[in-house]
């Protein structure tokens, strides 16, 4: 259903990766709310399913490291081992819980060794539904008088389809119920799996983004169903011409994921020897802006907003894409 159009540059987007997870436990309403307060144009939930088909935001279906499930003896027997996307994973999984059961859990910081300051929020926040995230974006739009986009990812879509919990239909149905159905809406749907995106493309005209973690990609083929690509930033660093090739194919480019801590930055941008200390993340944004990217996924939206605003300070502002 998607009608692919020629690439048109706009103001680079700041995409709050899992919210503002550099400052709050990821995929919580508070993380998304903070990302919006810090100026993010879009907030990004990874979507997985509960046993009863409710879409919720978690980085993976394994919730061992993002919730306090291990502290709940009533769920001890749910711990199991599965093969997901070709990897053996042991833990607790959203598809083995009803939404009511999942709601009894509380979010925790996934990277406590990197972001110990975030652990003070452990146990305070619930696992949000996709509907709650859309409600939050709508509420913040009214409050702030500017568009707040939502950028959901279908997470492990083949796995969920194999167990009868396909993500695509409930995702599109929820968006449609909230009035989102076409390319003009501030919604972007992303996935690493082309099959998930092509399936969605038969259901809606909402814009699609194909995530890339490998260098070999047929951009012309992707442009037949997608609005853009979301390449790993290391792919772009290794092949800066990918941005121009994508633009020539009519695709936007949103790089993932930029984080402020030294361990996530190139060696030349690290400050000091502490891997958890802040490095020169502004310089990394500037590098990718010079390359011509159309947006960033970032754990620290305030830093991206500062970099984009500085780069555009002499230009006439344009509307968010």
């Amino acid at each position: 259903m998607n009608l692919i159009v020629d690439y048109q540059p706009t103001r680079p987007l700041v995409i709050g990766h899992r919210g503002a997870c550099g400052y709050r436990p990821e995929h919580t309403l508070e993380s998304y709310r903070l990302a919006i307060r810090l100026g993010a144009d879009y907030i990004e939930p990874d979507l997985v399913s509960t046993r009863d088909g409710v879409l919720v935001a978690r980085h993976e279906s394994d919730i061992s490291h993002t919730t306090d499930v291990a502290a709940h003896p009533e769920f001890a027997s749910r711990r199991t081992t599965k093969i997901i996307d070709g990897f053996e994973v042991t833990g607790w999984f959203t598809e083995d819980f009803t939404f009511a059961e999942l709601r009894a859990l509380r979010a925790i910081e996934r990277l406590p060794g990197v972001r110990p300051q975030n652990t003070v929020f452990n146990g305070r926040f619930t696992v949000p539904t996709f509907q709650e995230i859309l409600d939050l974006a709508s509420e913040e739009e009214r409050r702030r008088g500017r568009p707040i986009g939502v950028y959901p990812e279908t997470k492990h879509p083949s796995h969920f389809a194999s167990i009868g919990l396909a993500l695509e239909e409930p995702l599109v149905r929820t968006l449609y119920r909230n009035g989102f159905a076409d390319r003009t809406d501030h919604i972007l749907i992303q996935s690493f799996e082309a099959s998930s995106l092509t399936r969605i493309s038969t259901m809606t005209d909402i814009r699609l983004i194909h995530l890339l973690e490998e260098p070999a990609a047929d951009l012309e083929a992707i442009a037949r169903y997608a609005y853009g690509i979301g390449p790993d930033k290391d792919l772009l660093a290794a092949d800066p011409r990918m941005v121009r090739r994508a633009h020539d194919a009519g695709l936007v480019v949103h790089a993932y994921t930029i984080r402020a801590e030294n361990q996530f930055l190139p060696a030349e941008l690290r400050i000091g020897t502490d891997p958890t200390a802040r490095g020169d993340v502004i310089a990394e944004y500037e590098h990718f802006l010079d390359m011509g990217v159309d947006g960033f996924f970032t754990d620290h939206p305030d830093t991206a907003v500062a970099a984009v605003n500085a780069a555009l300070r002499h230009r006439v502002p344009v509307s968010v894409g």
Side-chain angles (χ1 to χ4, degrees):
M1 293 176 64
N2 286 359
L3 301 175
I4 305 304
V5 298
D6 291 338
Y7 166 74
Q8 296 291 332
T10 64
R11 179 184 185 276
L13 297 180
V14 174
I15 304 152
H17 184 239
R18 310 174 196 170
C21 64
Y23 305 110
R24 298 290 187 275
E26 66 187 32
H27 292 313
T28 59
L29 290 180
E30 286 69 19
S31 183
Y32 298 126
R33 185 176 288 110
L34 180 57
I36 294 167
R37 284 170 51 201
L38 295 178
D41 301 302
Y42 279 71
I43 52 175
E44 186 249 358
D46 297 330
L47 298 181
V48 295
S49 181
T50 64
R51 188 171 69 196
D52 46 351
V54 178
L55 295 182
V56 296
R58 289 290 88 188
H59 174 53
E60 308 284 355
S61 61
D62 176 15
I63 54 174
S64 305
H65 305 293
T66 61
T67 72
D68 62 356
V69 63
H72 287 255
E74 68 273 26
F75 297 134
S77 63
R78 306 279 179 95
R79 191 171 188 267
T80 187
T81 298
K82 302 187 180 192
I83 304 295
I84 298 181
D85 295 345
F87 295 94
E88 184 177 281
V89 183
T90 299
W92 289 266
F93 300 85
T94 58
E95 63 264 31
D96 298 327
F97 291 76
T98 66
F99 174 64
E101 290 172 330
L102 196 67
R103 202 62 151 184
L105 307 180
R106 293 295 181 269
I108 62 173
E109 171 56 39
R110 188 173 66 90
L111 300 173
V114 179
R115 295 164 179 164
Q117 69 278 5
N118 288 4
T119 63
V120 301
F121 300 102
N122 285 355
R124 297 191 187 185
F125 311 136
T126 59
V127 175
T129 66
F130 184 40
Q131 182 60 58
E132 287 173 326
I133 295 165
L134 292 174
D135 290 342
L136 172 66
S138 178
E139 171 192 327
E140 290 294 326
E141 277 193 345
R142 292 191 298 271
R143 181 196 306 272
R144 299 179 186 279
R146 68 176 179 92
I148 306 295
V150 181
Y151 205 133
E153 177 184 349
T154 56
K155 202 75 175 185
H156 310 307
S158 292
H159 166 71
F160 279 104
S162 74
I163 59 175
L165 291 169
L167 303 174
E168 293 83 5
E169 289 87 349
L171 167 58
V172 173
R173 187 167 57 246
T174 302
L175 290 171
Y176 184 79
R177 189 170 60 240
N178 285 270
F180 301 119
D182 61 48
R183 297 175 64 83
T184 64
D185 293 321
H186 288 86
I187 301 289
L188 293 164
I189 301 175
Q190 57 177 324
S191 184
F192 283 100
E193 295 189 25
S195 59
S196 182
L197 293 173
T198 54
R199 187 175 183 181
I200 292 169
S201 74
T202 68
M203 305 174 186
T204 180
D205 287 327
I206 288 173
R207 296 169 296 171
L208 308 177
I209 303 291
H210 190 138
L211 299 173
L212 300 175
E213 55 185 346
E214 300 294 339
D218 186 339
L219 298 179
E220 287 73 21
I222 291 172
R224 296 189 190 110
Y225 58 84
Y227 169 72
I229 58 172
D232 185 314
K233 67 173 186 171
D234 291 339
L235 289 184
L236 294 181
D239 182 12
R241 290 176 295 180
M242 180 186 289
V243 176
R244 174 59 64 85
R245 294 199 307 274
H247 289 170
D248 288 345
L251 298 164
V252 301
V253 180
H254 297 159
Y256 78 88
T257 301
I258 297 182
R259 302 173 168 101
E261 294 93 354
N262 276 330
Q263 63 188 277
F264 302 117
L265 292 169
E268 65 274 14
L269 298 183
R270 296 171 188 170
I271 300 174
T273 58
D274 181 354
T276 68
R278 293 288 191 96
D280 188 2
V281 69
I282 298 296
E284 183 161 54
Y285 292 120
E286 290 171 342
H287 173 68
F288 287 113
L289 285 168
D290 289 343
M291 200 180 289
V293 301
D294 304 287
F296 314 97
F297 293 86
T298 175
D299 289 4
H300 302 85
D302 53 330
T303 60
V305 169
V308 169
N309 287 345
L312 300 182
R313 64 184 179 273
H314 298 304
R315 289 173 51 182
V316 176
V318 296
S319 60
V320 171

Short mmCIF file of all heavy atoms in Angstrom, two decimals, residues 3-9 183 207-209 218-229 242-253 294:
data_model
loop_
_atom_site.label_atom_id
_atom_site.label_comp_id
_atom_site.label_asym_id
_atom_site.label_seq_id
_atom_site.Cartn_x
_atom_site.Cartn_y
_atom_site.Cartn_z
N LEU A 3 3.20 4.20 -0.94
CA LEU A 3 3.63 4.85 -2.16
C LEU A 3 4.95 5.53 -1.87
O LEU A 3 5.03 6.48 -1.10
CB LEU A 3 2.59 5.87 -2.62
CG LEU A 3 1.19 5.31 -2.91
CD1 LEU A 3 0.24 6.44 -3.24
CD2 LEU A 3 1.25 4.30 -4.05
N ILE A 4 6.02 5.03 -2.46
CA ILE A 4 7.34 5.55 -2.17
C ILE A 4 7.55 6.87 -2.92
O ILE A 4 7.22 6.99 -4.10
CB ILE A 4 8.41 4.52 -2.58
CG1 ILE A 4 8.12 3.16 -1.90
CG2 ILE A 4 9.80 5.00 -2.23
CD1 ILE A 4 8.03 3.24 -0.41
N VAL A 5 8.09 7.85 -2.24
CA VAL A 5 8.32 9.16 -2.83
C VAL A 5 9.80 9.47 -2.80
O VAL A 5 10.58 8.81 -2.11
CB VAL A 5 7.53 10.26 -2.07
CG1 VAL A 5 6.05 10.02 -2.17
CG2 VAL A 5 7.97 10.33 -0.61
N ASP A 6 10.22 10.47 -3.57
CA ASP A 6 11.61 10.86 -3.59
C ASP A 6 12.02 11.39 -2.22
O ASP A 6 11.24 12.01 -1.50
CB ASP A 6 11.84 11.95 -4.64
CG ASP A 6 11.70 11.41 -6.06
OD1 ASP A 6 11.84 10.19 -6.23
OD2 ASP A 6 11.45 12.22 -6.97
N TYR A 7 13.29 11.17 -1.90
CA TYR A 7 13.83 11.67 -0.64
C TYR A 7 13.73 13.19 -0.58
O TYR A 7 14.08 13.89 -1.53
CB TYR A 7 15.29 11.24 -0.50
CG TYR A 7 16.03 11.97 0.59
CD1 TYR A 7 15.79 11.67 1.92
CD2 TYR A 7 16.93 12.98 0.30
CE1 TYR A 7 16.43 12.36 2.93
CE2 TYR A 7 17.59 13.67 1.29
CZ TYR A 7 17.33 13.35 2.62
OH TYR A 7 17.98 14.04 3.61
N GLN A 8 13.23 13.70 0.55
CA GLN A 8 13.14 15.13 0.78
C GLN A 8 13.75 15.44 2.15
O GLN A 8 13.25 14.97 3.17
CB GLN A 8 11.68 15.60 0.76
CG GLN A 8 10.99 15.43 -0.60
CD GLN A 8 11.54 16.37 -1.64
OE1 GLN A 8 12.03 17.45 -1.31
NE2 GLN A 8 11.48 15.96 -2.89
N PRO A 9 14.83 16.20 2.20
CA PRO A 9 15.48 16.47 3.49
C PRO A 9 14.61 17.35 4.39
O PRO A 9 13.92 18.25 3.91
CB PRO A 9 16.77 17.18 3.10
CG PRO A 9 16.47 17.79 1.77
CD PRO A 9 15.53 16.85 1.08
N ARG A 183 0.72 8.23 5.72
CA ARG A 183 2.09 8.72 5.71
C ARG A 183 2.26 10.09 6.33
O ARG A 183 3.38 10.50 6.64
CB ARG A 183 2.62 8.75 4.27
CG ARG A 183 2.71 7.40 3.61
CD ARG A 183 3.12 7.52 2.16
NE ARG A 183 4.47 8.07 2.02
CZ ARG A 183 5.58 7.35 2.12
NH1 ARG A 183 5.51 6.05 2.37
NH2 ARG A 183 6.76 7.91 1.97
N ARG A 207 4.48 5.12 7.44
CA ARG A 207 5.85 4.98 6.94
C ARG A 207 6.63 3.91 7.71
O ARG A 207 6.50 3.79 8.93
CB ARG A 207 6.56 6.33 7.04
CG ARG A 207 5.95 7.40 6.15
CD ARG A 207 6.49 8.78 6.47
NE ARG A 207 6.15 9.19 7.81
CZ ARG A 207 6.63 10.28 8.41
NH1 ARG A 207 7.50 11.04 7.77
NH2 ARG A 207 6.26 10.60 9.63
N LEU A 208 7.48 3.19 6.98
CA LEU A 208 8.22 2.06 7.52
C LEU A 208 9.73 2.31 7.43
O LEU A 208 10.21 2.89 6.46
CB LEU A 208 7.87 0.78 6.76
CG LEU A 208 6.38 0.45 6.61
CD1 LEU A 208 6.20 -0.82 5.78
CD2 LEU A 208 5.72 0.30 7.98
N ILE A 209 10.44 1.83 8.44
CA ILE A 209 11.90 1.96 8.49
C ILE A 209 12.52 0.57 8.65
O ILE A 209 12.17 -0.17 9.59
CB ILE A 209 12.35 2.84 9.68
CG1 ILE A 209 11.71 4.23 9.60
CG2 ILE A 209 13.87 2.93 9.72
CD1 ILE A 209 12.19 5.11 8.47
N ASP A 218 20.30 -4.19 -0.05
CA ASP A 218 19.82 -3.75 -1.36
C ASP A 218 18.87 -2.58 -1.12
O ASP A 218 17.69 -2.77 -0.86
CB ASP A 218 19.11 -4.91 -2.05
CG ASP A 218 18.70 -4.58 -3.48
OD1 ASP A 218 18.59 -3.37 -3.80
OD2 ASP A 218 18.46 -5.52 -4.26
N LEU A 219 19.42 -1.38 -1.20
CA LEU A 219 18.64 -0.19 -0.86
C LEU A 219 17.49 0.02 -1.82
O LEU A 219 16.41 0.49 -1.42
CB LEU A 219 19.55 1.03 -0.81
CG LEU A 219 20.67 0.98 0.24
CD1 LEU A 219 21.52 2.23 0.17
CD2 LEU A 219 20.09 0.81 1.64
N GLU A 220 17.69 -0.30 -3.08
CA GLU A 220 16.60 -0.13 -4.05
C GLU A 220 15.44 -1.07 -3.72
O GLU A 220 14.27 -0.69 -3.83
CB GLU A 220 17.10 -0.40 -5.47
CG GLU A 220 17.98 0.71 -6.04
CD GLU A 220 19.37 0.74 -5.43
OE1 GLU A 220 19.81 -0.30 -4.87
OE2 GLU A 220 20.03 1.80 -5.49
N ALA A 221 15.76 -2.30 -3.29
CA ALA A 221 14.70 -3.24 -2.90
C ALA A 221 13.98 -2.75 -1.65
O ALA A 221 12.75 -2.83 -1.56
CB ALA A 221 15.29 -4.62 -2.68
N ILE A 222 14.74 -2.23 -0.68
CA ILE A 222 14.13 -1.72 0.55
C ILE A 222 13.19 -0.56 0.24
O ILE A 222 12.11 -0.43 0.82
CB ILE A 222 15.23 -1.30 1.55
CG1 ILE A 222 15.97 -2.54 2.08
CG2 ILE A 222 14.64 -0.50 2.71
CD1 ILE A 222 17.18 -2.21 2.92
N ALA A 223 13.59 0.27 -0.73
CA ALA A 223 12.79 1.45 -1.07
C ALA A 223 11.43 1.09 -1.66
O ALA A 223 10.54 1.94 -1.73
CB ALA A 223 13.55 2.34 -2.04
N ARG A 224 11.24 -0.17 -2.05
CA ARG A 224 9.94 -0.57 -2.60
C ARG A 224 8.87 -0.65 -1.52
O ARG A 224 7.68 -0.58 -1.83
CB ARG A 224 10.08 -1.92 -3.31
CG ARG A 224 10.99 -1.88 -4.53
CD ARG A 224 10.92 -3.17 -5.33
NE ARG A 224 11.97 -3.18 -6.34
CZ ARG A 224 13.03 -3.98 -6.31
NH1 ARG A 224 13.17 -4.86 -5.33
NH2 ARG A 224 13.94 -3.92 -7.27
N TYR A 225 9.28 -0.83 -0.26
CA TYR A 225 8.29 -0.94 0.81
C TYR A 225 8.56 0.01 1.98
O TYR A 225 7.70 0.19 2.84
CB TYR A 225 8.19 -2.38 1.34
CG TYR A 225 9.51 -2.94 1.86
CD1 TYR A 225 9.94 -2.69 3.16
CD2 TYR A 225 10.31 -3.73 1.05
CE1 TYR A 225 11.13 -3.19 3.63
CE2 TYR A 225 11.51 -4.25 1.51
CZ TYR A 225 11.93 -3.98 2.79
OH TYR A 225 13.11 -4.48 3.26
N ALA A 226 9.74 0.61 2.04
CA ALA A 226 10.12 1.40 3.21
C ALA A 226 10.33 2.87 2.87
O ALA A 226 10.67 3.23 1.74
CB ALA A 226 11.38 0.83 3.86
N TYR A 227 10.15 3.68 3.88
CA TYR A 227 10.39 5.12 3.80
C TYR A 227 11.86 5.43 4.09
O TYR A 227 12.39 6.45 3.64
CB TYR A 227 9.49 5.81 4.82
CG TYR A 227 9.76 7.27 5.08
CD1 TYR A 227 9.44 8.25 4.15
CD2 TYR A 227 10.30 7.67 6.31
CE1 TYR A 227 9.66 9.58 4.42
CE2 TYR A 227 10.53 9.01 6.59
CZ TYR A 227 10.21 9.96 5.64
OH TYR A 227 10.43 11.29 5.91
N GLY A 228 12.51 4.55 4.85
CA GLY A 228 13.89 4.82 5.20
C GLY A 228 14.58 3.61 5.80
O GLY A 228 14.00 2.53 5.93
N ILE A 229 15.84 3.82 6.16
CA ILE A 229 16.63 2.79 6.83
C ILE A 229 17.13 3.32 8.17
O ILE A 229 17.29 4.53 8.36
CB ILE A 229 17.83 2.33 5.97
CG1 ILE A 229 18.75 3.51 5.61
CG2 ILE A 229 17.35 1.60 4.72
CD1 ILE A 229 20.05 3.11 4.94
N MET A 242 27.01 5.31 2.36
CA MET A 242 25.70 4.68 2.48
C MET A 242 24.60 5.73 2.56
O MET A 242 23.50 5.54 2.03
CB MET A 242 25.63 3.78 3.71
CG MET A 242 24.28 3.09 3.88
SD MET A 242 24.15 2.15 5.42
CE MET A 242 25.26 0.79 5.06
N VAL A 243 24.87 6.84 3.22
CA VAL A 243 23.86 7.89 3.35
C VAL A 243 23.47 8.43 1.98
O VAL A 243 22.29 8.55 1.64
CB VAL A 243 24.35 9.03 4.26
CG1 VAL A 243 23.33 10.16 4.31
CG2 VAL A 243 24.62 8.51 5.67
N ARG A 244 24.46 8.73 1.15
CA ARG A 244 24.17 9.25 -0.19
C ARG A 244 23.44 8.21 -1.03
O ARG A 244 22.49 8.53 -1.75
CB ARG A 244 25.48 9.67 -0.87
CG ARG A 244 25.31 10.09 -2.34
CD ARG A 244 24.35 11.25 -2.50
NE ARG A 244 24.84 12.45 -1.87
CZ ARG A 244 25.69 13.31 -2.45
NH1 ARG A 244 26.14 13.09 -3.66
NH2 ARG A 244 26.06 14.39 -1.78
N ARG A 245 23.86 6.96 -0.94
CA ARG A 245 23.19 5.90 -1.71
C ARG A 245 21.74 5.75 -1.27
O ARG A 245 20.84 5.56 -2.10
CB ARG A 245 23.93 4.57 -1.57
CG ARG A 245 25.32 4.56 -2.20
CD ARG A 245 25.80 3.14 -2.46
NE ARG A 245 25.72 2.30 -1.28
CZ ARG A 245 26.65 2.20 -0.35
NH1 ARG A 245 27.76 2.94 -0.44
NH2 ARG A 245 26.51 1.39 0.67
N ALA A 246 21.51 5.83 0.04
CA ALA A 246 20.14 5.73 0.54
C ALA A 246 19.30 6.90 0.05
O ALA A 246 18.16 6.71 -0.40
CB ALA A 246 20.14 5.68 2.07
N HIS A 247 19.84 8.09 0.11
CA HIS A 247 19.11 9.26 -0.37
C HIS A 247 18.82 9.15 -1.86
O HIS A 247 17.72 9.49 -2.32
CB HIS A 247 19.90 10.54 -0.08
CG HIS A 247 19.94 10.90 1.37
ND1 HIS A 247 20.76 11.89 1.88
CD2 HIS A 247 19.25 10.41 2.44
CE1 HIS A 247 20.58 12.00 3.18
NE2 HIS A 247 19.67 11.11 3.54
N ASP A 248 19.78 8.65 -2.61
CA ASP A 248 19.56 8.48 -4.05
C ASP A 248 18.45 7.46 -4.32
O ASP A 248 17.76 7.56 -5.36
CB ASP A 248 20.85 8.02 -4.74
CG ASP A 248 21.90 9.13 -4.82
OD1 ASP A 248 21.53 10.30 -4.62
OD2 ASP A 248 23.07 8.80 -5.09
N ALA A 249 18.28 6.51 -3.40
CA ALA A 249 17.21 5.52 -3.54
C ALA A 249 15.87 6.04 -3.01
O ALA A 249 14.86 5.33 -3.07
CB ALA A 249 17.58 4.23 -2.81
N GLY A 250 15.87 7.28 -2.48
CA GLY A 250 14.64 7.86 -1.95
C GLY A 250 14.39 7.57 -0.50
O GLY A 250 13.27 7.77 0.00
N LEU A 251 15.41 7.11 0.23
CA LEU A 251 15.26 6.69 1.62
C LEU A 251 15.86 7.71 2.58
O LEU A 251 16.93 8.27 2.33
CB LEU A 251 15.95 5.35 1.85
CG LEU A 251 15.42 4.16 1.05
CD1 LEU A 251 16.44 3.01 1.07
CD2 LEU A 251 14.08 3.69 1.62
N VAL A 252 15.20 7.93 3.72
CA VAL A 252 15.81 8.69 4.81
C VAL A 252 16.72 7.76 5.60
O VAL A 252 16.61 6.53 5.52
CB VAL A 252 14.76 9.33 5.74
CG1 VAL A 252 13.86 10.27 4.97
CG2 VAL A 252 13.97 8.28 6.48
N VAL A 253 17.61 8.34 6.40
CA VAL A 253 18.58 7.57 7.18
C VAL A 253 18.55 8.04 8.63
O VAL A 253 18.84 9.20 8.92
CB VAL A 253 20.01 7.74 6.62
CG1 VAL A 253 21.01 6.93 7.45
CG2 VAL A 253 20.07 7.32 5.15
N ASP A 294 19.51 11.85 8.61
CA ASP A 294 18.24 12.55 8.80
C ASP A 294 17.70 12.44 10.21
O ASP A 294 16.61 12.97 10.51
CB ASP A 294 17.20 11.97 7.82
CG ASP A 294 17.68 12.05 6.40
OD1 ASP A 294 17.71 13.15 5.84
OD2 ASP A 294 18.07 11.00 5.84
#
